[in-house]
Amino acid sequence: MDRQSAVAELRGEVVRYVRDFAAHERRWCVALSGGPDSLALAAVAATVMPTTALIVDHRLQPGSDAVASTAREQAIAVGCVGAEVLRVDVGTAGGPEAAARSARYRALGDARAGAPVLLAHTLDDQAETVLLGLGRGSGARSIAGMRPHDPPWCRPLLGVRRDLTRRACTELGLTPWRDPHNADPRFTRVRLRTEVLPLLEQVLGGGVAEALARTATALREDNDTLDAMASDALAELGADGVRDGLPIAAVSPLPAAVRRRVVRGWLLAGGAVGLNEVQIRAVDDLIIAWRGQGGVAVPSERPHERLFAGRSNELLTLYREPV
């Protein structure tokens, strides 16, 4: 095998990503954990465009400062024009994985200085994300996985398997950090990676990760079309048409998938956050299955209040109650 084949393949992915999504960019950042995926991406990205490494120290493990310092040194060694360690405090909301992710994205967003941020998610990560969405039963939106381009977040490696980044590190003589959390069965993703996906590959005869990634792509395309139709429907109602409530007569004839997206858009515009499929369908029932039921509680962007959607005088309306 050509010694540089893995590095060349990764670089080809990044170059194609620039062509498709980032031709106008002149610099970018890369989120670097020190693990093989992000280390290989940093090394390759630095050969394509001026790259600054952003290293988030979650301070959740002993010696995390040393891991971050090593990652910074490696970033400079592979050609990054700069490397910054971002120390964060991780809360508890949503569990340890969600809390760490929220803290990480906040830190990256604050430090990127207007530049896009490359994330080293691979096809394997995409497959795990789709399985998580299936388990939650949250509808097509959660099964559609991660977007390759979701500004400012960029994922140029979603089309390659995880083993390619490890081979690239070996070719480059890099020693990546092995996060012990990635082998800890307390975390759902770890069990998906080490137990569920290998079993599916065995039972279904291989190619499961690729099939899940293709499913995500197809669903994103469908979702984008339906979201555009819902956006057009809301625009036709105009601000005056939804300020005092969502007109039942205007939305009830819409196809179900479009109507629920209109409901979702209306709820988000009214201050709802973190909506799931169960909540959206419950509000949709106020339109299509009205039997005098009371309001539906949905999460509010404001602390210390509860947000409700209810039906009144042929309108869906939003009202708030203090917690």
Side-chain angles (χ1 to χ4, degrees), residues 106-315:
R106 279 196 304 271
L108 293 171
D110 290 342
R112 68 185 184 88
V117 180
L118 305 185
L119 305 174
H121 296 127
T122 65
L123 186 148
D124 299 82
D125 296 304
Q126 185 74 298
E128 293 161 15
T129 300
V130 174
L131 284 176
L132 283 170
L134 282 168
R136 294 185 182 119
S138 299
R141 195 175 302 278
S142 67
I143 305 171
M146 298 175 284
R147 290 181 176 276
H149 191 62
D150 186 19
W153 315 116
C154 305
R155 299 179 176 91
L157 304 187
L158 276 185
V160 303
R161 297 299 303 265
R162 191 174 282 140
D163 71 293
L164 189 69
T165 64
R166 283 131 178 85
R167 287 167 41 210
C169 286
T170 299
E171 290 178 3
L172 292 165
L174 298 172
T175 303
W177 175 56
R178 302 291 180 179
D179 185 352
H181 282 175
N182 288 338
D184 190 336
R186 291 178 302 169
F187 298 108
T188 304
R189 273 192 180 268
V190 172
R191 297 197 67 186
L192 285 175
R193 182 178 307 138
T194 61
E195 300 176 33
V196 177
L197 272 168
L199 179 60
L200 286 174
E201 294 279 354
Q202 176 186 338
V203 172
L204 298 177
V208 170
E210 290 85 354
L212 289 169
R214 288 195 302 272
T215 298
T217 298
L219 283 170
R220 280 198 308 277
E221 293 169 349
D222 291 350
N223 281 337
D224 288 347
T225 299
L226 292 167
D227 286 346
M229 295 171 65
S231 179
D232 290 345
L234 275 170
E236 288 179 10
L237 292 173
D240 292 338
V242 298
R243 182 182 296 115
D244 298 324
L246 195 63
I248 302 295
V251 297
S252 57
L254 294 172
V258 177
R259 185 182 62 246
R260 285 194 292 273
R261 283 166 170 79
V262 168
V263 167
R264 178 179 181 274
W266 173 72
L267 290 170
L268 292 174
V273 293
L275 294 166
N276 61 41
E277 187 74 4
V278 172
Q279 293 158 345
I280 293 169
R281 286 180 178 269
V283 176
D284 187 49
D285 281 345
L286 298 176
I287 300 172
I288 61 168
W290 171 247
R291 297 184 182 85
Q293 62 264 42
V296 176
V298 295
S300 173
E301 65 183 356
R302 301 178 186 174
H304 313 303
E305 80 164 17
R306 300 180 69 192
L307 185 62
F308 292 85
R311 177 164 172 163
S312 175
N313 298 324
E314 294 304 306
L315 291 173

Side-chain angles (χ1 to χ4, degrees), residues 38-57:
S38 62
L39 189 56
L41 177 58
V44 170
T47 70
V48 177
M49 196 180 300
T51 302
T52 299
L54 300 177
I55 302 129
V56 178
D57 179 3

